[in-house]
Amino acid sequence: MAETTKAARPERAAPGRRIVAAGIIRRTPDRTITVRVTQAGATGVIAKQVTR
């Protein structure tokens, strides 16, 4: 029988280090706005919507 008591995720090698990021994508009929924020800074793009 398979072991079913394992943790959902394995133990981390470096518990003091975390990757922290947040982002959003907003689409309107005429443009797409993309923003990404990390501890290092923020980036963003406003692009015109491509017609299909």
Side-chain angles (χ1 to χ4, degrees):
M1 186 179 269
E3 184 179 328
T4 59
T5 58
K6 287 187 177 181
R9 64 179 182 202
E11 293 297 321
R12 298 180 196 178
R17 182 177 176 197
R18 282 193 211 173
I19 298 174
V20 178
I24 186 169
I25 298 173
R26 174 173 283 184
R27 291 184 175 95
T28 63
D30 59 340
R31 67 183 60 167
T32 300
I33 302 169
T34 306
V35 177
R36 183 169 185 259
V37 180
T38 66
Q39 289 176 330
T43 61
V45 176
I46 300 173
K48 288 186 178 180
Q49 194 74 336
V50 178
T51 57
R52 297 179 189 182

